[in-house]
Amino acid sequence: MSQAKELTQLLEGLQDNLPKLLDAIIATTDGLAVAHLSNRVGDSIDIHSVAAMAAAALGLGKRLTSGLYAGGLKEAQVTGEHGQVLIYAIGEKAALALVVESSANVGMVNFVARRILPKLSQLM
């Protein structure tokens, strides 16, 4: 099975476990989208722009945690009026960005996302 197919299957597993998931994107640290999944109806997002922003946020977060002696960045969260964006480091090579509805249970999102990070790291 190809890497892209395996990554997509992992994202579909997230979708099965997170009903409030709107988008899931795996991006390299240089901002290239590797895999994505969207549950949006009507509205769409530019996957390539989101991948680039997720990589930039990951880079900024790494510099911030390093500069403040907080260790390596593991994850970051941004909350907006209509949703939340959670970004998880996939080793040193990539990021997983999840966009969820504002009413999503962030604890459950973190639990489900953190469970697949080791497999994502192996595939990347």
Side-chain angles (χ1 to χ4, degrees):
M1 184 182 304
S2 72
Q3 176 196 35
K5 180 105 172 140
E6 287 186 75
L7 292 171
T8 300
Q9 284 182 337
L10 287 170
L11 295 181
E12 289 169 349
L14 284 175
Q15 180 181 30
D16 292 342
N17 290 295
L18 300 171
K20 306 238 179 197
L21 179 67
L22 297 173
D23 299 289
I25 300 156
I26 298 171
T28 62
T29 52
D30 55 355
L32 299 175
V34 178
H36 71 278
L37 175 83
S38 183
N39 294 320
R40 291 179 188 260
V41 177
D43 296 331
S44 64
I45 60 169
D46 180 352
I47 299 301
H48 302 290
S49 293
V50 175
M53 288 185 281
L58 186 68
L60 178 61
K62 284 181 179 181
R63 289 179 43 207
L64 181 64
T65 56
S66 174
L68 296 174
Y69 306 104
L73 178 73
K74 295 171 77 174
E75 55 197 56
Q77 177 181 338
V78 178
T79 303
E81 288 180 41
H82 304 292
Q84 300 179 69
V85 180
L86 298 101
I87 301 171
Y88 304 87
I90 302 173
E92 294 293 319
K93 302 174 188 170
L96 169 65
L98 302 179
V99 182
V100 298
E101 295 176 14
S102 58
S103 61
N105 179 333
V106 175
M108 181 58 74
V109 174
N110 283 329
F111 176 76
V112 172
R114 290 171 184 157
R115 281 192 349 214
I116 70 162
L117 289 175
K119 181 66 174 171
L120 290 174
S121 186
Q122 287 176 353
L123 290 170
M124 295 303 293

